[in-house]
């Protein structure tokens, strides 16, 4: 077993004192030179090891020149000072000597600090901040990737962290715009049950800051952000731009990375961001039992002390969404934040009202909702709903097959294999134009009946060899009643989710009737003369 030099000195001194061993005996026992034994007996602490002074002969002729360059850098702009690579290049350009990069690097690393100290340059130092109960908090955004419905999507993690307890609240959204910024605050303050009484520290985020006043702590705020923090009653504090200000909110800077590594690795796989945000609450509950650094109490215990010092919340939350009034173009679409969304074609060339949140976009005509979309990210993205174009497709049936709305409906699963089979059979029997018109009329049934019920009706019609939309509607009502559901849906009901359409046990009557050779229906048609007599009676009474 190898001993450290201090342990070796202690054993030599102990054996010399207790066992009265000679210097020769101690040297032989520990396998060391007698000089080391004499050194251990003369001093209980080993002498520090002398480090050899390394010289760089190749660098020696240029040291004064490099020193002059480094002194000139003290007055130069920060982004135009010499790097090691530039010094190597200048020596080669001006003196024709190719000095290895590590040699120059080691010299510059030492001399840059010494020259700065000789010139009296200020020393970079950090001062520990005192965090009062319920006073301060920190906010930051961090990017994170999520597999949403099988598609890898770049999202943003909002983190709101109380400085005293370290209690942090998180929320993931598709963007880091102003709506996501506001909704993250509302969620965090609601979860915490109060508002910090002191400062909340921020980067110079675009949703909050319109302009940074040069070499000043002053900021020109976004007016809506000013209304937001005045509504909740906290004071924003803006850090210095760039890396110089990162330490001013170091708690949340580390929190974003810590949370991403420990709870969002590997890449989460979810059907929607709502599902992932529900998981975040479970992760935060686990974090409450953690101790930060060398603290004696857990995050939950510190937050229990801090919660009573937070300011109360307003009675109603701040309205985070924004309202816009775009005009519907000739393609039946509105443009919002450089993305395009479809609306029913009957509203073409009319102004509509759009409410935009961080995750959703809702379109209104007056007070009536006419369209709802998931908010898109990325310049030029489009989302089209096939139902919005059905009236136009009745007059232009040839446009359906190559339409973007149909392509997106197939990708989302709302235009199923049953619809495809019905369309193919209708075109084969009725021709392309009439077959497509029949399909459009069937698609109109989805506005008033459940998606699964209409699909069941289509499957029954295919088996029976009919393409009448009234038959499909009747079979859809029967399927709804058999399942105990209402046969119709209201216009304001949300669009049904795409279903896994397993074959349903539907028994068509037409094949059974043909197989048994049943006689045709010989019953007489109903007579309406009695009803006509009632109409005449009503007219006599009114006269």
């Amino acid at each position: 077993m190898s001993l450290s030099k201090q342990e070796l000195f202690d054993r030599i001194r102990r054996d010399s004192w207790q066992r009265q061993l000679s210097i020769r005996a101690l040297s032989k026992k520990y396998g060391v030179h007698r000089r080391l034994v004499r050194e251990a007996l003369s001093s209980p602490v080993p002498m520090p090891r002398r480090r050899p002074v390394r010289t760089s002969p190749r660098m020696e002729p240029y040291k004064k020149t490099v020193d002059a360059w480094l002194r000139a850098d003290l007055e130069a702009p920060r982004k135009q000072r010499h790097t090691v690579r530039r010094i190597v290049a200048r020596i080669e350009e001006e003196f024709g000597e190719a000095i290895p990069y590590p040699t120059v690097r080691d010299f510059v690393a030492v001399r840059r600090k010494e020259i700065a100290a000789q010139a009296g340059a200020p020393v970079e130092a950090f001062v520990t901040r005192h965090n009062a109960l319920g006073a301060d908090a920190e906010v930051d955004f961090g990017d994170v990737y999520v597999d949403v419905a099988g598609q890898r999507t770049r999202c943003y993690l909002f983190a709101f962290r109380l400085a005293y307890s370290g209690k942090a609240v998180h929320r993931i959204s598709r963007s880091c715009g102003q709506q996501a910024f506001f909704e993250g605050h509302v969620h965090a303050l609601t979860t915490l049950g109060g508002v910090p009484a002191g400062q909340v520290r921020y980067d110079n985020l675009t949703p909050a800051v319109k302009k940074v006043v040069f070499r000043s702590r002053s900021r020109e705020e976004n007016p809506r952000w000013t209304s937001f923090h005045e509504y909740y009653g906290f004071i924003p504090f803006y850090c210095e731009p760039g890396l110089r200000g990162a330490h001013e909110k170091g708690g949340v800077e580390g929190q974003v990375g810590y949370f991403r590594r420990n709870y969002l690795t590997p890449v989460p796989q979810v059907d929607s961001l709502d599902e992932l945000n529900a998981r975040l609450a479970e992760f935060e509950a686990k974090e409450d039992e953690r101790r930060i650094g060398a603290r004696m109490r857990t995050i939950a215990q510190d937050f229990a002390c801090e919660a009573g010092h937070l300011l109360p919340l307003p009675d109603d939350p701040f309205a985070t969404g924004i309202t816009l009034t775009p005009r519907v173009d000739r393609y039946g679409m509105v443009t919002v934040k450089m993305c395009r969304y479809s609306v029913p074609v009957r509203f073409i060339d009319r102004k509509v009202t759009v409410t935009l949140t961080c995750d959703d976009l809702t379109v209104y005509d007056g007070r009536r909702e006419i369209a709802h979309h998931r908010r898109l990210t990325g310049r030029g993205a489009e989302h089209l709903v096939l139902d919005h174009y059905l009236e136009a497709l009745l007059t232009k049936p040839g446009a359906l097959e190559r339409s973007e709305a149909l392509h997106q409906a197939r990708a989302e699963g709302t235009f199923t294999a049953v619809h495809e089979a019905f369309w193919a059979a209708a075109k084969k029997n009725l021709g392309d134009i009439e077959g497509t018109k029949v399909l459009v009329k069937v698609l109109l049934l989805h506005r008033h009946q459940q998606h699964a019920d209409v699909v069941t009706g289509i499957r029954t019609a295919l088996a029976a060899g009919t393409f009448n939309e009234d038959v499909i509607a009747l079979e859809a009502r029967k399927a709804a009643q058999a399942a105990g559901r209402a046969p119709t849906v209201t216009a304001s009901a949300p669009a049904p989710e795409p279903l896994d359409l397993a074959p349903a046990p539907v028994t068509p009557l037409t094949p059974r009737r043909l197989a048994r050779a049943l006689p045709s229906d010989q019953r007489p048609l109903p007579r309406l003369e009695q009803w006509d007599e009632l109409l005449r009676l009503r007219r006599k009474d009114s006269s």
Side-chain angles (χ1 to χ4, degrees):
M1 181 179 65
S2 61
L3 300 174
S4 66
K5 198 171 183 180
Q6 181 64 59
E7 293 173 339
L8 181 61
F9 271 39
D10 293 340
R11 293 192 179 189
I12 290 174
R13 292 173 64 85
R14 185 168 57 249
D15 286 348
S16 174
W17 175 63
Q18 293 179 351
R19 300 184 181 183
Q20 299 297 319
L21 296 179
S22 64
I23 292 177
R24 185 182 295 275
L26 291 170
S27 174
K28 185 177 181 180
K29 178 180 179 179
Y30 291 104
V32 296
H33 200 277
R34 292 190 295 274
R35 286 193 302 270
L36 186 63
V37 175
R38 293 189 182 96
E39 183 183 347
L41 296 177
S42 63
S43 173
V45 181
M47 294 291 291
R49 183 178 179 179
R50 290 194 295 256
R51 294 183 177 274
V53 178
R54 296 184 178 181
T55 60
S56 53
R58 298 185 63 179
M59 188 68 193
E60 193 66 34
Y62 312 105
K63 286 184 177 179
K64 292 184 179 180
T65 302
V66 174
D67 283 352
W69 293 347
L70 295 178
R71 289 190 181 94
D73 279 349
L74 297 176
E75 304 296 330
R78 183 177 62 84
K79 294 185 178 181
Q80 292 177 258
R81 297 174 184 174
H82 283 83
T83 63
V84 176
R85 194 171 299 279
R86 178 56 184 155
I87 292 174
V88 172
R90 283 195 67 179
I91 292 176
E92 186 174 359
E93 292 170 1
E94 299 179 15
F95 300 98
E97 180 72 20
I99 300 180
Y101 179 88
T103 302
V104 180
R105 178 196 61 200
D106 295 341
F107 175 76
V108 171
V110 175
R111 289 299 294 158
R112 196 189 295 273
K113 294 179 181 178
E114 293 175 351
I115 291 173
Q118 293 170 4
V123 179
E124 186 74 21
F126 297 93
V127 179
T128 303
R129 186 178 70 189
H130 171 71
N131 296 315
L133 284 165
D136 298 330
E138 300 167 343
V139 171
D140 198 15
F141 266 116
D143 59 332
V144 59
Y145 285 89
V146 181
D147 289 343
V148 182
Q151 182 178 4
R152 182 148 298 182
T153 307
R154 184 182 183 183
C155 301
Y156 297 89
L157 176 66
F158 174 88
F160 188 104
R161 183 181 185 272
L162 292 176
Y164 176 81
S165 64
K167 171 71 173 177
V169 182
H170 309 82
R171 184 174 178 82
I172 291 182
S173 57
R174 292 180 179 271
S175 72
C176 57
Q178 192 176 73
Q179 290 73 48
F181 187 58
F182 287 174
E183 290 181 21
H185 277 81
V186 172
H187 171 70
L189 297 176
T190 304
T191 302
L192 296 172
V195 181
Q199 296 177 336
V200 182
R201 294 174 176 259
Y202 299 91
D203 287 328
N204 299 279
L205 301 168
T206 303
V209 176
K210 291 178 62 177
K211 182 179 179 181
V212 178
V213 180
F214 183 64
R215 292 183 179 179
S216 171
R217 286 287 185 178
S218 301
R219 304 289 187 270
E220 183 180 341
E221 292 185 340
N222 186 296
R224 201 153 185 269
W225 166 242
T226 302
S227 302
F228 183 89
H229 69 71
E230 288 179 352
Y231 183 82
Y232 281 99
F234 61 84
I235 302 171
F237 175 87
Y238 303 105
C239 302
E240 290 188 62
L243 295 176
R244 289 183 56 83
H247 67 279
E248 295 181 338
K249 57 179 184 63
V252 76
E253 292 279 355
Q255 175 68 29
V256 171
Y258 170 85
F259 199 85
R260 182 169 47 206
R261 289 189 300 271
N262 288 273
Y263 296 105
L264 300 175
T265 302
V267 176
Q269 298 181 358
V270 294
D271 293 330
S272 66
L273 289 185
D274 292 337
E275 177 185 344
L276 183 56
N277 281 318
R279 290 188 198 173
L280 296 189
E282 301 175 5
F283 300 154
E284 291 162 0
K286 294 181 181 178
E287 281 292 293
D288 288 345
E289 304 305 318
R290 182 171 66 93
R291 289 179 173 83
I292 299 176
R295 294 185 183 183
M296 297 295 294
R297 295 182 297 274
T298 63
I299 294 176
Q301 291 170 339
D302 281 338
F303 178 66
C305 301
E306 187 175 23
H309 294 78
L310 298 174
L311 299 177
L313 290 169
D315 294 335
D316 298 316
F318 188 88
T320 58
I322 60 173
T323 302
L324 305 169
T325 55
R327 184 179 294 275
V328 182
D329 62 19
R330 60 179 178 174
Y331 297 99
M333 304 178 74
V334 293
T335 303
V336 178
K337 299 291 184 181
M338 298 186 181
C339 296
R340 304 178 74 199
Y341 307 84
S342 68
V343 298
V345 292
R346 63 182 179 275
F347 296 101
I348 286 178
D349 204 31
R350 288 174 55 180
K351 278 193 172 184
V352 293
T353 303
V354 172
T355 301
L356 182 67
T357 67
C358 71
D359 294 321
D360 299 297
L361 177 140
T362 309
V363 185
Y364 296 91
D365 176 45
R367 296 185 178 182
R368 182 164 58 95
E369 178 181 327
I370 59 174
H372 182 84
H373 298 267
R374 187 193 72 239
R375 182 173 179 174
L376 301 175
T377 57
R379 185 189 297 251
E382 295 181 348
H383 185 247
L384 286 73
V385 178
L386 180 59
D387 180 77
H388 294 164
Y389 296 92
L390 296 181
E391 287 85 355
L393 292 172
L394 280 175
T395 59
K396 297 181 178 181
L400 175 61
E401 187 169 3
R402 304 293 294 176
S403 65
E404 177 65 20
L406 177 61
H407 173 74
Q408 294 191 13
R410 284 169 171 162
E412 294 170 359
T414 54
F415 194 85
T416 65
V418 177
H419 292 91
E420 298 278 9
F422 180 84
W423 190 14
K427 289 194 294 184
K428 182 178 179 180
N429 287 271
L430 305 177
D432 290 349
I433 300 300
E434 293 302 322
T436 302
K437 286 184 178 181
V438 168
L439 173 68
V440 172
K441 294 177 181 178
V442 170
L443 292 175
L444 286 168
L445 297 176
H446 287 287
R447 295 183 178 180
H448 308 290
Q449 294 179 291
Q450 294 286 351
H451 186 273
D453 298 336
V454 176
V455 170
T456 301
I458 295 173
R459 190 181 287 113
T460 305
L462 280 174
T466 180
F467 304 101
N468 191 311
E469 64 272 13
D470 293 333
V471 173
I472 296 175
L474 179 61
E475 293 296 333
R477 293 178 64 88
K478 290 180 180 179
Q481 292 172 353
R485 294 192 301 267
T488 59
V489 294
T490 58
S492 60
E497 296 292 333
L499 300 176
D500 183 13
L501 300 171
V506 178
T507 304
L509 297 179
T510 302
R512 180 187 299 178
R513 178 176 297 172
L514 295 175
R516 295 185 179 182
L518 296 178
S520 59
D521 192 354
Q522 301 294 332
R523 290 176 296 177
L525 294 175
R527 300 179 62 184
L528 302 179
E529 290 82 2
Q530 296 178 349
W531 300 102
D532 294 337
E533 293 176 2
L534 292 176
L535 292 175
R536 288 195 294 270
L537 290 174
R538 183 177 297 177
R539 289 171 186 164
K540 292 180 180 180
D541 294 340
S542 59
S543 60

